[in-house]
Amino acid sequence: NQTKIWNVSTTINEETIQEAAALLRDQQVVAFPTETVYGLAADATHEAAVQRIFEAKGRPADNPLIVHVGNRDQVEQLVTEIPEVAHRLMDEFWPGPLTLILPSNHTAAQNVTAGLDTVAVRMPSHPVALQILQAAGLPLAAPSANRSGRPSPTEAEHVKQDLDGRISGIVDGGPTGVGVESTVLDCTSEIPVILRPGGVTKEDLERILPEVMVDPALVDQKEQPKSPGMKYTHYAPESPLWLIEGDDDFFQQQLLHIKEENRRTAVIASNELAGKLDHDVITACGSRENLPEIAGQLYRALRQYKKADIDVILCESFEEKGVGAAIMNRLQKAATQKITQH
Ligand code: TXA
Ligand code: MG
């Protein structure tokens, strides 16, 4: 099956939007950029269309999808009620990288919610995503447009690597901005709970809400996560990734150890650390003082190194403030090993 590719990275042309929307109304699956990562979309109200997403990605059926909406009325069509707190959050953060878990009225197909009584909804802010949503006139289920287990795609090329020939189309809108996925916030309990840290930070939420909790499973690996997707291996690069927790000298020592063993080593680090290392295979992802910049570069860095060339990737740890919480959540999942300075 041929995957059609449209390029709208310099100007968004209406024909492309209409063609993508028509495919979606015809129960096909199409990938497009959002402000976080590329999503793989299908009609959220149509079970057979949604099934194509699961098949293309190889995604486990018990992992529910986020429903993307182009307006607030579509939210009302999907849920039994919108709590006051959710209204406030939508006013403040939509369109944008915040997904709200609300009580489902089962308008979304049952495979979208994996049989749960709740549904995840978000309004993306990327103009391509918004225009396709509006042209299709449908709520669109869209997980990240990667093969299950791989790092999420932040460029159309990443979608192509994973899904070429398996989906109807890819709308190339250039690199996405935020670089990590949306924050998933459960609004069905008295105090909202962060199930997945993401583009809207806990600090952002605390400006609006009197209290925010964090799913205990995000802190303690022994806890069962409330978000089904959080239990799976994720974001994995091809080569084993070792997460180094310590200062720059400690990182330098670990790199030397590995090089002495003649292992082909790549490094993913901040500009600051990269500048101190004597090594030639390094991806510098931005300043450690600018965590949004690191988030924007992270998945591209994780995808960059191939098993055939690299035996081990050493990666720096970042401060867990702001979007750093999302960065570290993804790196903890991507890592095969952690090496901690004592
Ligand atoms: O930024 C994003 O959120 C991107 C773009 C494409 O919008 N999408 C994305 O989707 O990251 P996905 O499928 O890769 O991640 C969805 C997450 C999973 O962890 C899933 O378990 C959780 O949301 N989720 C979905 N519905 C849920 C529900 N009803 N209750 C709890 N967690 C839910
Ligand atoms: Mg995903």
Side-chain angles (χ1 to χ4, degrees), residues 69-77 94 123 130 133-134 137:
V69 297
N71 58 56
R72 296 253 199 127
D73 290 345
Q74 283 178 334
V75 180
E76 305 207 9
Q77 287 161 25
W94 279 15
M123 188 188 294
L130 271 180
L133 277 161
Q134 276 146 15

Side-chain angles (χ1 to χ4, degrees), residues 36 39 59 63-64 66 68 118 120 122 143-144 181-182 196 227 229:
T36 56
R59 182 176 176 111
N63 192 3
I66 295 171
H68 295 66
T118 53
R122 106 169 173 98
S144 49
E181 299 84 346
S182 64
R196 178 177 74 178
S227 181

Side-chain angles (χ1 to χ4, degrees), residues 37 57 59 63 143-153 181 196 234-235:
V37 301
K57 284 185 55 105
R59 182 176 176 111
N63 192 3
S144 49
N146 50 283
R147 285 286 204 130
S148 213
R150 302 259 296 140
S152 297
E181 299 84 346
R196 178 177 74 178
H234 250 87
Y235 317 109

